[in-house]
Amino acid sequence: MKITVLNGSPKGDMSVTLQSVHFIRKTFPAHEFQICNISSKIRNIENNADSFLKVVEGIGASDAVLWAFPLYFFLVPAQYKRFVELVFERGAQGAFRGKYAAALSTSWKFFDHSAHNYIHAICDDLEMRYAGFFSMAMYDLLETRERQRLGLFAETLFEAFETKTTPAKAYLPLPRRDYRYMPGAATEKIDNRGKKVLLLADSLTGPRNLAAMIERFSSAFIRRPDIVDLDAIDMKSGCQGCIQCGYDNECCQDDGFTAFFKRKAVGADIIVFAGSVKDRFLSSAWKTYLDRSFFMNHTPALRGKQFGLLFSGPLSRMENLREILSAYAEWQGMNPVDFVSDEPEDHARIDQALQALAQRLVRYSRKHYTRPSTFLGVGGMKIFRDAIWGSHRFVFQADHRYFKSHGLYDFPHKNLRTVLANAAMMLLTKVPAFRGMLFKKMIRPKMVEPHKKVLKKLFEDSQK
């Protein structure tokens, strides 16, 4: 069986993920593997028609495709995503149609699922036969048990390929739309004086609906937002994955992105993204912006800011995008206020939603309101906390300094009172009589008791 491996790492042959591909290749020598370094050669693939055609022809001549990539900022690297865009833009879907597909990734297990959701959806859009994925931690290949699991994964894939198993699709095609949004005039102006509103868009001259939404949203303010086209930001390329920024939050690339981000994004009170659907996400330009912002590593540099999204496309069909941007906001410590799209295809409703978003962004900013994080934010920070405290501290020294100085190393075992209380209660619950009394009579009232005390004191103080 001939398998084309689409290597998504910007580091090319130095990819950690690619080492797992080599393990599969050596474990199953009867199969032929053709490795294409997509991300590291994306400029040549994009600008040289022959290079793109060579990759596509290789896929067409294969029996299956293995999407192999590192996780970059909730998704695949921007360079890899650009390749996906090229496939659709240049009408090369036919080379993928009917091929078997699987995905292999390496990550910290931080939103690896959203990256795999994306690839799965792309495979469904390409009418491929998606057979599954395998998500590895950075050093799993060093462990005997994980190598065994990887080998079993590959074995089941080959069995599915050879028996011509046809898996069910998980993602319906996104609907085609020809709606043209015609905005009305803003009925009132919102006083945003004293608040810096930054609106970032992947193209101010792109899809008409998005441009109209940006204009209608901007006209709601007394002082128009600072509108920046991503094309105007000096970004030479996407993130290269070198991790040099882990030491001091300084990007290795000598361009204007770092200065822009520190001045504009960090300096804003309100940040609004504006973009259109591009395959199953925003554009690769947006992904480049997000990837490059990793020079701040795992430090929540945008804490306390209000966050919104203007989106042209079927947002209700793109739960993965919604989850990624919600998680991005929560992990950064921002307040995700609302995401507004042109999906309703109703001029008045879109006008109202844009006006309401503008009002809420300013209102919450003035009140310094940030809603509590859900699992998306809390779980993500705990993964970072453990990794930076442990094996990755020497690499991400800037993170370590920030986490230490801001109390983010909040391990439960460091709270002596909790440790002692747990030890005492665990000892007491070994006594059957106490255990029965605790769980049948005590635990529910004791859970409520401290809340009642607080409410009682607040009420009494209010009556004084």
Side-chain angles (χ1 to χ4, degrees):
M1 179 172 286
K2 185 175 181 180
I3 299 161
T4 292
V5 179
L6 301 176
N7 178 19
S9 174
K11 292 179 282 190
D13 293 336
M14 297 300 291
S15 163
V16 170
T17 314
L18 197 56
Q19 308 316 304
S20 298
V21 174
H22 291 323
F23 170 80
I24 296 174
R25 181 172 59 82
K26 292 180 180 179
T27 305
F28 299 91
H31 301 288
E32 179 185 350
F33 288 78
Q34 172 187 271
I35 297 174
C36 298
N37 289 326
I38 298 298
S39 290
S40 63
K41 298 181 179 180
I42 189 60
R43 284 192 174 179
N44 185 48
I45 291 172
E46 181 172 11
N47 297 325
N48 187 313
D50 289 339
S51 294
F52 177 77
L53 186 61
K54 183 179 179 181
V55 173
V56 171
E57 287 177 343
I59 292 168
S62 298
D63 300 299
V65 173
L66 180 61
W67 302 81
F69 57 89
L71 183 81
Y72 274 30
F73 223 93
F74 300 89
L75 208 75
V76 301
Q79 299 93 326
Y80 208 45
K81 188 184 185 304
R82 181 57 188 146
F83 174 74
V84 172
E85 293 176 359
L86 290 173
V87 169
F88 288 100
E89 290 173 7
R90 298 179 179 180
Q93 298 97 312
F96 295 81
R97 189 172 297 118
K99 304 291 184 185
Y100 282 92
L104 174 66
S105 71
T106 306
S107 69
W108 282 15
K109 299 301 184 80
F110 174 80
F111 282 83
D112 51 339
H113 71 286
S114 56
H116 283 287
N117 288 344
Y118 170 77
I119 288 295
H120 190 165
I122 292 302
C123 289
D124 282 356
D125 289 344
L126 290 170
E127 299 184 44
M128 304 183 79
R129 299 177 182 182
Y130 184 80
F133 72 91
F134 196 82
S135 175
M136 303 183 71
M138 188 69 67
Y139 296 107
D140 275 358
L141 193 63
L142 308 184
E143 305 295 330
T144 300
R145 181 171 178 273
E146 296 305 324
R147 291 195 297 272
Q148 291 173 344
R149 287 211 292 180
L150 179 59
L152 285 172
F153 167 73
E155 182 180 317
T156 58
L157 283 182
F158 296 137
E159 288 175 355
F161 297 165
E162 290 167 354
T163 58
K164 301 190 182 303
T165 302
T166 303
K169 283 191 174 185
Y171 296 89
L172 294 173
L174 295 178
R176 294 180 177 273
R177 305 167 69 243
D178 57 7
Y179 168 70
R180 288 181 61 118
Y181 167 52
M182 304 293 290
T187 55
E188 60 178 308
K189 296 288 187 179
I190 300 163
D191 185 2
N192 60 322
R193 286 173 291 196
K195 294 296 178 181
K196 295 180 180 179
V197 183
L198 174 64
L199 191 151
L200 297 169
D202 57 353
S203 178
L204 298 179
T205 59
R208 185 191 178 284
N209 280 9
L210 183 63
M213 291 175 72
I214 292 172
E215 178 56 33
R216 175 59 181 83
F217 174 79
S218 301
S219 69
F221 299 100
I222 288 178
R223 293 188 176 180
R224 291 176 65 87
D226 184 3
I227 302 175
V228 177
D229 191 323
L230 296 185
D231 289 340
I233 302 174
D234 180 21
M235 292 187 287
K236 289 183 177 179
S237 66
C239 178
Q240 299 301 304
C242 67
I243 316 295
Q244 292 183 45
C245 54
Y247 180 74
D248 57 5
N249 295 139
E250 292 296 332
C251 183
C252 68
Q253 299 195 52
D254 185 20
D255 58 21
F257 179 79
T258 301
F260 168 84
F261 187 86
K262 289 181 177 179
R263 184 180 74 258
K264 291 286 189 177
V266 176
D269 301 295
I270 296 167
I271 298 176
V272 178
F273 287 1
S276 302
V277 60
K278 194 78 170 179
D279 51 66
R280 292 284 179 157
F281 193 67
L282 297 167
S283 68
S284 56
W286 262 118
K287 192 60 180 54
T288 300
Y289 173 89
L290 292 170
D291 287 358
R292 288 294 306 275
S293 70
F294 183 72
F295 79 91
M296 291 302 298
N297 304 149
H298 310 91
T299 298
L302 304 177
R303 182 175 296 279
K305 303 183 188 307
Q306 304 299 316
F307 177 72
L309 171 71
L310 310 183
F311 184 73
S312 180
L315 188 59
S316 67
R317 301 283 190 95
M318 302 183 67
E319 187 56 37
N320 201 47
L321 170 65
R322 182 183 289 276
E323 181 179 88
I324 288 171
L325 292 181
S326 296
Y328 165 68
E330 289 192 13
W331 157 58
Q332 281 287 340
M334 295 192 289
N335 184 40
V337 177
D338 201 3
F339 300 162
V340 177
S341 81
D342 60 352
E343 189 174 22
E345 299 193 355
D346 181 311
H347 308 325
R349 282 183 61 188
I350 298 170
D351 286 348
Q352 292 168 2
L354 292 170
Q355 187 76 20
L357 174 61
Q359 290 173 336
R360 293 169 66 194
L361 287 166
V362 174
R363 183 188 311 125
Y364 291 157
S365 183
R366 294 200 185 285
K367 293 182 179 294
H368 305 287
Y369 171 72
T370 303
R371 78 184 189 200
S373 288
T374 65
F375 172 80
L376 301 178
V378 175
M381 285 305 294
K382 289 187 184 299
I383 288 175
F384 294 153
R385 177 198 68 183
D386 292 357
I388 294 164
W389 174 263
S391 59
H392 291 76
R393 190 192 308 186
F394 80 96
V395 176
F396 294 103
Q397 294 186 41
D399 280 339
H400 173 62
R401 291 190 292 270
Y402 183 92
F403 277 43
K404 187 175 181 180
S405 63
H406 287 77
L408 296 181
Y409 288 136
D410 54 347
F411 304 101
H413 61 261
K414 298 184 75 174
N415 187 320
L416 184 59
R417 182 177 178 180
T418 300
V419 171
L420 293 175
N422 279 328
M425 292 303 293
M426 290 178 73
L427 184 63
L428 287 170
T429 52
K430 292 184 181 295
V431 180
F434 178 82
R435 186 168 66 246
M437 180 178 64
L438 172 68
F439 289 108
K440 291 180 180 179
K441 297 182 179 180
M442 294 176 61
I443 197 162
R444 282 181 290 182
K446 286 295 183 183
M447 289 171 65
V448 177
E449 186 178 286
H451 300 81
K452 287 186 172 181
K453 285 182 178 179
V454 169
L455 293 173
K456 181 181 178 182
K457 186 176 186 308
L458 288 173
F459 180 76
E460 289 174 348
D461 290 346
S462 67
Q463 300 301 308
K464 293 179 181 179

